[in-house]
Amino acid sequence: MRIVVLHKWAPDPQEATVGADGSVDFSRAKAAVSDYDAVAIQCGRQLADAAGAALVGVSVGGEAAARPVATKSALARGLDEVVVVSDPELEEAGSARTAQAIAAAVAALGDVGLVLAGDSSVDVGARMVPAVVAGRLGWPVLADVDSVALAGGSVAVERLAPEGVQSISAALPVVIALTSEAVKTKAPGMKDVLGAGKKPVTVKSLADLGLTALSEGAVTSRAKLGGPARKGVVIDTSDPAAAAAELVDALRAAGALA
Amino acid sequence: MSTYVLVAGNAGVSKLVAAAVELGGPVVAVVVGGADLAQAAAAPGVDRVVWLGEPGGKAAEAFAADVAKLVAADPGTVLAGRGPAERALLGAVAAAIAAPVVTAPVEIAPGQVTRGLVGGLALETRRYDGPVAIAADGGAPLAGGGGATVEQVSANPAAVEVTGLRPGRAAADLGSAARVVAVGRGLKAQADLPVIEALAAALKAELGCSRPLAEGLDWLPRDRYIGISGQQISPRLYLAVGISGQLQHMAGCRDSQLVVSINTDPDAPIASQSDYILTGDLYALAPALTAALG
Amino acid sequence: MPFQLTDEQVLTRDSVREFAEAEIAPIAAEIDQNHRPPLESIGKLAEAGLLGMLIPEEYGGAGLDALSYAIAIEELSRVCATHGVLVEAHSSLCTWAIAHHGTEDQKRKYLPDLASGEAVGAFGLTEPNAGSDASSLATTAVRDSDEFVLNGQKIFITNGGFAKTFVIMARSTDAPGVKGISAFIVERGRPGFEILEPERKMGIRGSSTTPLAFTGCRIPAANLLGQEGAGFKIAMQILDGGRTGIAAQAVGIAQGAFEAACKYAKERVQFGRPIAALQAIQWLIADMAVDIAAGRALVYRAADLESRGEPHGQAAAMAKLFCGEMATRVTGKAIQVHGGVGYTEAYPVERAYRDAKITEIYEGTSEIQRLVIARHYLR
């Protein structure tokens, strides 16, 4: 059996800047394996070791996704091999397009029992890709999962629901999106770094996978977002008790208190 | 062409129904959950309620393929909440009808959606020629009272069973809280959390935090973290204590009705985004506020 | 000389940074305040492969090139100079010496444990009367059939308090000056080998710096490292690598302080705007950035020469000299950017400033580096 981990080579949104015209500039942002995907890779490694499965990374993106530094960064975290769908068409792909490419790559691999994903990508954070991948594969998806265990042909997961900790069991194959609770990530060690370049990498284009275009709408406008106008009332705090009383009065007047 | 609202185990979809009504076409609520949930979904604005029957021990996610097939028979724009089950159903539908997916919408109109980009740094409007799959804040629970009758359809759920529920730690529900007190790096030690907890209790507020406290310091559970990759909330009152207000955090609370900040630095980014600004030591101001509320 | 880092070197930087921020940053201030050696980090460092960087793969190490190693030391030191020197002394001064001068038996016996963190390494050259002047070395190793008997004292031995494997320089023949010096591997716990009270230092306070005392300490003759009488040459080779390591440590300390200064300058508001908008602050930041870039280039050059097996002693001396003085300059400016709070323990630049000073002193003072460099041109 293969266990697939979805991972994204994503720029750090902390470094993104927004122009006055609403264009988002990531050119100064350093790319890395998206934070939560590191959780999925490490969790996948543990599951694959326990089940004797191969751990395959699947990544989708533009030209940068297939750069050796991108694939080695993911491999150093514990994957056995990586399949990258890299295509200029995927440069700013949304969840639907991304999922289409991932699902095709997973289907092409064959013998996949489990697809693991992180909670969300650091740069977009839509949290929709695992669900659309599952839809395309016709498999169930479980998101917000805090722990996973494989047992024979099924998977047992736990997640936090409003009513408490929910246990769910699902027959394989299944797609699972993990929270950062699933495992505490560890930085790759020096041997992992040196070994990463020796592992297999397969790069495919959309044409290789026989995928046709999928419309994600046409951008008609962009704008920089300003927050709602705030009152900006500065409360004198030289006497904390008086400041607190003043604030409570203001909140009560605004109907913000219970 | 119908417009769909997906209801998965939770009736909190009032905003989605309102948006669906704006989009026009018959509004169809597709319900995965118990009969009472289906009844609740028959609210004003909903033209049809399609119910997939009692789930028994199945998780809502088990019905994703059924829901997808149902919508694919008459494709239209689909709206769902942001919970894991809702996303599962929405993803299956989006895949089945090859629809683009939109999250964090700020304005939904026929053939056009405006959404926040990169956690709300920018806005982008796109035109769509076909149906769109939209994940958005669901809103208040529906409570029936509309004219639609519940139409039950047969389902063929996948093997996804809920095998247990352990009470104890439950997911924090910051999304529906009217008031949220959030704490950040201004708090010096985990042992000082009771100072903030007392304030939250006095305000009848949920407790939230900035990312470092949930991921890194592990002082609070992850489901209480507010920000770009955490909870995105819009309570009536957001009280930020010891939070500087970096963009990535503000993306999670910018839609709050009222923002109050307690912070040592009068020029921290949070101040320019606050309705009320209290500059000073949280260890003096938070207890004073707790006392004033008591 | 352009440096295009390999993917592996880029990944080394990213991985060590991630490790350092997750595992070391949380304790960096505390171990400094308490003068406490971070023993809990040793297992973690080993697991991350950071104790076997200069140990070949067949002996359990990662077998890193000299530039990757320098990058790793820089990244550790960026967060905590104590961890930087712990790893540097272990690697450059002990594991490198055994890997390059050890017999096959010695390598098999010592290197796997040094890579796995089972043993930490240390190096003993300096004595009360033999610092920069190694020819005054007074510790003796007298041959007695199949043993050597060690007598004498060492001081300022990094990792002394917890190291298990020491490379010790001692005089074993009557040859005058440096010619009679030999290198030995001495294990902690040998009768007659005593580790004395650690120093209380101005900086790198979590680093265990101890005197060592040898009183009739018997070690097997098989523990001779390299040829008898070759000790001084071995020590100088060790220090060539070590100097690049310390220069990398200095760059890391400076980089950490620089980043703290930039962050503070953007957050601190005076006269209605962040102080980063003031030209006075901008000039400080610019000068710091140039200083660090120049120092890093010297480190990369020395490490690159070493990686390619070229002579690198003079390049290492240049890197050590410049970076040590640079780190002191940059950390001082970082405090200046902070103003009063930078002088308090509440901000990390105070620690960086104290930590930086030692990089001008240990493994050869700046004055010795100048001597090495001048001799190269004037001989």
Side-chain angles (χ1 to χ4, degrees), chain A residues 30 68-69 72-73 76-77 186-191 193-194 197, chain C residues 7-8 11-12 14-16 18-19 47-49 60-62 64:
Chain A
K30 185 180 179 317
V69 70
K72 286 178 191 172
S73 292
R77 291 189 175 275
K186 249 182 359 199
M190 294 303 100
K191 288 183 188 177
V193 167
L194 293 180
Chain C
D7 292 336
E8 283 71 15
L11 246 69
T12 296
D14 291 349
S15 301
V16 179
E18 183 181 335
F19 171 84
E47 200 189 343
L64 249 54

mmCIF file of all heavy atoms in Angstrom, chain A residues 30 68-69 72-73 76-77 186-191 193-194 197, chain C residues 7-8 11-12 14-16 18-19 47-49 60-62 64:
data_model
loop_
_atom_site.group_PDB
_atom_site.id
_atom_site.type_symbol
_atom_site.label_atom_id
_atom_site.label_comp_id
_atom_site.label_asym_id
_atom_site.label_seq_id
_atom_site.Cartn_x
_atom_site.Cartn_y
_atom_site.Cartn_z
ATOM 1 N N LYS A 30 9.947 34.158 1.340
ATOM 2 C CA LYS A 30 10.722 32.936 1.185
ATOM 3 C C LYS A 30 9.756 31.762 1.131
ATOM 4 O O LYS A 30 8.820 31.681 1.924
ATOM 5 C CB LYS A 30 11.640 32.808 2.398
ATOM 6 C CG LYS A 30 12.603 31.660 2.332
ATOM 7 C CD LYS A 30 13.459 31.663 3.599
ATOM 8 C CE LYS A 30 14.452 30.528 3.659
ATOM 9 N NZ LYS A 30 13.978 29.222 3.266
ATOM 10 N N PRO A 68 14.532 21.593 -7.371
ATOM 11 C CA PRO A 68 15.129 20.589 -6.480
ATOM 12 C C PRO A 68 15.069 20.996 -5.001
ATOM 13 O O PRO A 68 14.842 20.162 -4.142
ATOM 14 C CB PRO A 68 16.568 20.502 -6.979
ATOM 15 C CG PRO A 68 16.484 20.884 -8.419
ATOM 16 C CD PRO A 68 15.403 21.917 -8.516
ATOM 17 N N VAL A 69 15.235 22.287 -4.729
ATOM 18 C CA VAL A 69 15.228 22.685 -3.315
ATOM 19 C C VAL A 69 13.842 22.449 -2.707
ATOM 20 O O VAL A 69 13.705 22.118 -1.522
ATOM 21 C CB VAL A 69 15.695 24.149 -3.142
ATOM 22 C CG1 VAL A 69 14.673 25.139 -3.669
ATOM 23 C CG2 VAL A 69 16.023 24.451 -1.678
ATOM 24 N N LYS A 72 13.500 18.503 -2.374
ATOM 25 C CA LYS A 72 14.397 18.010 -1.318
ATOM 26 C C LYS A 72 13.913 18.441 0.065
ATOM 27 O O LYS A 72 14.056 17.696 1.037
ATOM 28 C CB LYS A 72 15.826 18.519 -1.556
ATOM 29 C CG LYS A 72 16.537 17.811 -2.704
ATOM 30 C CD LYS A 72 17.919 18.406 -2.922
ATOM 31 C CE LYS A 72 18.559 17.922 -4.203
ATOM 32 N NZ LYS A 72 19.807 18.649 -4.494
ATOM 33 N N SER A 73 13.367 19.639 0.161
ATOM 34 C CA SER A 73 12.862 20.105 1.458
ATOM 35 C C SER A 73 11.768 19.180 1.976
ATOM 36 O O SER A 73 11.699 18.888 3.172
ATOM 37 C CB SER A 73 12.293 21.524 1.347
ATOM 38 O OG SER A 73 13.321 22.443 1.101
ATOM 39 N N ALA A 76 13.321 15.614 2.763
ATOM 40 C CA ALA A 76 14.122 15.600 3.990
ATOM 41 C C ALA A 76 13.240 15.395 5.216
ATOM 42 O O ALA A 76 13.713 14.982 6.265
ATOM 43 C CB ALA A 76 14.917 16.893 4.123
ATOM 44 N N ARG A 77 11.943 15.688 5.077
ATOM 45 C CA ARG A 77 11.043 15.520 6.220
ATOM 46 C C ARG A 77 10.541 14.094 6.373
ATOM 47 O O ARG A 77 9.790 13.799 7.304
ATOM 48 C CB ARG A 77 9.879 16.495 6.120
ATOM 49 C CG ARG A 77 10.343 17.926 6.319
ATOM 50 C CD ARG A 77 9.196 18.900 6.443
ATOM 51 N NE ARG A 77 9.722 20.218 6.736
ATOM 52 C CZ ARG A 77 10.027 20.654 7.956
ATOM 53 N NH1 ARG A 77 9.812 19.872 9.000
ATOM 54 N NH2 ARG A 77 10.531 21.844 8.134
ATOM 55 N N LYS A 186 9.334 17.874 13.885
ATOM 56 C CA LYS A 186 10.756 17.963 14.202
ATOM 57 C C LYS A 186 11.483 18.445 12.967
ATOM 58 O O LYS A 186 11.135 18.059 11.856
ATOM 59 C CB LYS A 186 11.266 16.561 14.562
ATOM 60 C CG LYS A 186 11.614 16.415 16.004
ATOM 61 C CD LYS A 186 12.150 15.051 16.362
ATOM 62 C CE LYS A 186 12.240 14.031 15.269
ATOM 63 N NZ LYS A 186 12.337 12.655 15.740
ATOM 64 N N ALA A 187 12.474 19.248 13.157
ATOM 65 C CA ALA A 187 13.266 19.708 12.009
ATOM 66 C C ALA A 187 14.001 18.508 11.411
ATOM 67 O O ALA A 187 14.412 17.604 12.146
ATOM 68 C CB ALA A 187 14.264 20.765 12.459
ATOM 69 N N PRO A 188 14.202 18.492 10.098
ATOM 70 C CA PRO A 188 14.986 17.410 9.501
ATOM 71 C C PRO A 188 16.398 17.406 10.076
ATOM 72 O O PRO A 188 16.965 18.462 10.340
ATOM 73 C CB PRO A 188 15.025 17.775 8.009
ATOM 74 C CG PRO A 188 13.916 18.737 7.803
ATOM 75 C CD PRO A 188 13.755 19.473 9.108
ATOM 76 N N GLY A 189 16.943 16.226 10.277
ATOM 77 C CA GLY A 189 18.314 16.119 10.754
ATOM 78 C C GLY A 189 19.290 16.207 9.592
ATOM 79 O O GLY A 189 18.884 16.200 8.422
ATOM 80 N N MET A 190 20.574 16.280 9.917
ATOM 81 C CA MET A 190 21.582 16.441 8.873
ATOM 82 C C MET A 190 21.617 15.249 7.905
ATOM 83 O O MET A 190 21.828 15.418 6.714
ATOM 84 C CB MET A 190 22.963 16.632 9.501
ATOM 85 C CG MET A 190 23.124 17.923 10.295
ATOM 86 S SD MET A 190 22.786 19.401 9.306
ATOM 87 C CE MET A 190 21.122 19.786 9.795
ATOM 88 N N LYS A 191 21.373 14.045 8.422
ATOM 89 C CA LYS A 191 21.371 12.882 7.529
ATOM 90 C C LYS A 191 20.167 12.928 6.592
ATOM 91 O O LYS A 191 20.257 12.508 5.441
ATOM 92 C CB LYS A 191 21.354 11.590 8.344
ATOM 93 C CG LYS A 191 22.679 11.314 9.039
ATOM 94 C CD LYS A 191 22.642 9.986 9.767
ATOM 95 C CE LYS A 191 23.900 9.841 10.604
ATOM 96 N NZ LYS A 191 23.893 8.600 11.392
ATOM 97 N N VAL A 193 18.809 15.639 5.487
ATOM 98 C CA VAL A 193 19.126 16.670 4.492
ATOM 99 C C VAL A 193 19.996 16.080 3.384
ATOM 100 O O VAL A 193 19.735 16.254 2.194
ATOM 101 C CB VAL A 193 19.842 17.859 5.169
ATOM 102 C CG1 VAL A 193 20.464 18.776 4.128
ATOM 103 C CG2 VAL A 193 18.864 18.634 6.059
ATOM 104 N N LEU A 194 21.035 15.340 3.785
ATOM 105 C CA LEU A 194 21.954 14.796 2.787
ATOM 106 C C LEU A 194 21.319 13.653 1.992
ATOM 107 O O LEU A 194 21.667 13.415 0.846
ATOM 108 C CB LEU A 194 23.241 14.314 3.459
ATOM 109 C CG LEU A 194 24.097 15.430 4.076
ATOM 110 C CD1 LEU A 194 25.345 14.850 4.710
ATOM 111 C CD2 LEU A 194 24.481 16.473 3.039
ATOM 112 N N GLY A 197 18.403 14.234 -1.537
ATOM 113 C CA GLY A 197 18.704 14.296 -2.966
ATOM 114 C C GLY A 197 18.819 12.934 -3.620
ATOM 115 O O GLY A 197 18.870 12.829 -4.850
ATOM 116 N N ASP C 7 21.628 23.062 -2.777
ATOM 117 C CA ASP C 7 20.321 22.832 -2.144
ATOM 118 C C ASP C 7 20.511 22.299 -0.731
ATOM 119 O O ASP C 7 19.793 22.661 0.192
ATOM 120 C CB ASP C 7 19.504 21.806 -2.945
ATOM 121 C CG ASP C 7 19.076 22.351 -4.297
ATOM 122 O OD1 ASP C 7 18.996 23.580 -4.439
ATOM 123 O OD2 ASP C 7 18.830 21.535 -5.192
ATOM 124 N N GLU C 8 21.499 21.404 -0.585
ATOM 125 C CA GLU C 8 21.728 20.792 0.726
ATOM 126 C C GLU C 8 22.179 21.832 1.739
ATOM 127 O O GLU C 8 21.826 21.768 2.916
ATOM 128 C CB GLU C 8 22.751 19.659 0.610
ATOM 129 C CG GLU C 8 22.204 18.364 0.023
ATOM 130 C CD GLU C 8 21.886 18.456 -1.473
ATOM 131 O OE1 GLU C 8 22.352 19.421 -2.131
ATOM 132 O OE2 GLU C 8 21.173 17.576 -1.974
ATOM 133 N N LEU C 11 19.143 23.802 2.682
ATOM 134 C CA LEU C 11 18.321 22.976 3.569
ATOM 135 C C LEU C 11 18.943 22.853 4.960
ATOM 136 O O LEU C 11 18.236 22.787 5.961
ATOM 137 C CB LEU C 11 18.193 21.569 2.981
ATOM 138 C CG LEU C 11 16.803 21.155 2.537
ATOM 139 C CD1 LEU C 11 16.376 21.944 1.330
ATOM 140 C CD2 LEU C 11 16.772 19.675 2.237
ATOM 141 N N THR C 12 20.270 22.802 4.990
ATOM 142 C CA THR C 12 20.953 22.754 6.280
ATOM 143 C C THR C 12 20.614 24.008 7.068
ATOM 144 O O THR C 12 20.263 23.950 8.249
ATOM 145 C CB THR C 12 22.478 22.646 6.075
ATOM 146 O OG1 THR C 12 22.754 21.408 5.428
ATOM 147 C CG2 THR C 12 23.221 22.699 7.401
ATOM 148 N N ASP C 14 17.967 26.005 6.711
ATOM 149 C CA ASP C 14 16.550 25.987 7.099
ATOM 150 C C ASP C 14 16.301 25.009 8.253
ATOM 151 O O ASP C 14 15.577 25.313 9.199
ATOM 152 C CB ASP C 14 15.670 25.573 5.908
ATOM 153 C CG ASP C 14 15.641 26.633 4.825
ATOM 154 O OD1 ASP C 14 16.127 27.757 5.075
ATOM 155 O OD2 ASP C 14 15.142 26.343 3.721
ATOM 156 N N SER C 15 16.906 23.826 8.142
ATOM 157 C CA SER C 15 16.629 22.786 9.135
ATOM 158 C C SER C 15 17.226 23.142 10.489
ATOM 159 O O SER C 15 16.586 22.954 11.526
ATOM 160 C CB SER C 15 17.187 21.440 8.670
ATOM 161 O OG SER C 15 16.609 21.084 7.435
ATOM 162 N N VAL C 16 18.458 23.640 10.474
ATOM 163 C CA VAL C 16 19.085 23.979 11.758
ATOM 164 C C VAL C 16 18.364 25.181 12.371
ATOM 165 O O VAL C 16 18.172 25.245 13.586
ATOM 166 C CB VAL C 16 20.593 24.253 11.592
ATOM 167 C CG1 VAL C 16 21.210 24.619 12.937
ATOM 168 C CG2 VAL C 16 21.290 23.037 11.014
ATOM 169 N N GLU C 18 15.184 25.870 12.043
ATOM 170 C CA GLU C 18 13.936 25.340 12.601
ATOM 171 C C GLU C 18 14.205 24.616 13.919
ATOM 172 O O GLU C 18 13.488 24.807 14.910
ATOM 173 C CB GLU C 18 13.299 24.388 11.578
ATOM 174 C CG GLU C 18 11.959 23.818 11.995
ATOM 175 C CD GLU C 18 11.386 22.859 10.946
ATOM 176 O OE1 GLU C 18 11.732 22.987 9.751
ATOM 177 O OE2 GLU C 18 10.599 21.976 11.330
ATOM 178 N N PHE C 19 15.259 23.809 13.923
ATOM 179 C CA PHE C 19 15.627 23.086 15.143
ATOM 180 C C PHE C 19 15.957 24.064 16.258
ATOM 181 O O PHE C 19 15.480 23.947 17.391
ATOM 182 C CB PHE C 19 16.835 22.184 14.856
ATOM 183 C CG PHE C 19 17.424 21.560 16.094
ATOM 184 C CD1 PHE C 19 16.895 20.393 16.617
ATOM 185 C CD2 PHE C 19 18.504 22.161 16.754
ATOM 186 C CE1 PHE C 19 17.428 19.826 17.777
ATOM 187 C CE2 PHE C 19 19.034 21.601 17.907
ATOM 188 C CZ PHE C 19 18.495 20.424 18.422
ATOM 189 N N GLU C 47 20.261 13.757 17.831
ATOM 190 C CA GLU C 47 19.183 13.240 16.997
ATOM 191 C C GLU C 47 19.077 14.034 15.694
ATOM 192 O O GLU C 47 18.747 13.487 14.642
ATOM 193 C CB GLU C 47 17.871 13.296 17.780
ATOM 194 C CG GLU C 47 16.832 12.364 17.214
ATOM 195 C CD GLU C 47 15.471 12.553 17.842
ATOM 196 O OE1 GLU C 47 15.386 13.160 18.927
ATOM 197 O OE2 GLU C 47 14.490 12.102 17.229
ATOM 198 N N ALA C 48 19.335 15.318 15.788
ATOM 199 C CA ALA C 48 19.286 16.158 14.584
ATOM 200 C C ALA C 48 20.555 16.024 13.750
ATOM 201 O O ALA C 48 20.714 16.710 12.739
ATOM 202 C CB ALA C 48 19.052 17.612 14.984
ATOM 203 N N GLY C 49 21.453 15.176 14.183
ATOM 204 C CA GLY C 49 22.684 14.961 13.411
ATOM 205 C C GLY C 49 23.702 16.059 13.612
ATOM 206 O O GLY C 49 24.678 16.160 12.867
ATOM 207 N N GLY C 60 28.922 6.798 11.784
ATOM 208 C CA GLY C 60 27.677 7.260 12.395
ATOM 209 C C GLY C 60 27.402 8.737 12.258
ATOM 210 O O GLY C 60 26.401 9.231 12.768
ATOM 211 N N GLY C 61 28.273 9.461 11.559
ATOM 212 C CA GLY C 61 28.050 10.893 11.398
ATOM 213 C C GLY C 61 27.328 11.210 10.109
ATOM 214 O O GLY C 61 26.873 10.312 9.392
ATOM 215 N N ALA C 62 27.214 12.512 9.827
ATOM 216 C CA ALA C 62 26.566 12.939 8.597
ATOM 217 C C ALA C 62 27.605 13.274 7.526
ATOM 218 O O ALA C 62 27.279 13.356 6.353
ATOM 219 C CB ALA C 62 25.674 14.150 8.856
ATOM 220 N N LEU C 64 29.340 16.106 6.861
ATOM 221 C CA LEU C 64 29.047 17.370 6.180
ATOM 222 C C LEU C 64 30.312 18.033 5.650
ATOM 223 O O LEU C 64 31.389 17.860 6.201
ATOM 224 C CB LEU C 64 28.380 18.326 7.182
ATOM 225 C CG LEU C 64 26.910 18.659 6.972
ATOM 226 C CD1 LEU C 64 26.081 17.384 6.891
ATOM 227 C CD2 LEU C 64 26.389 19.533 8.094
#
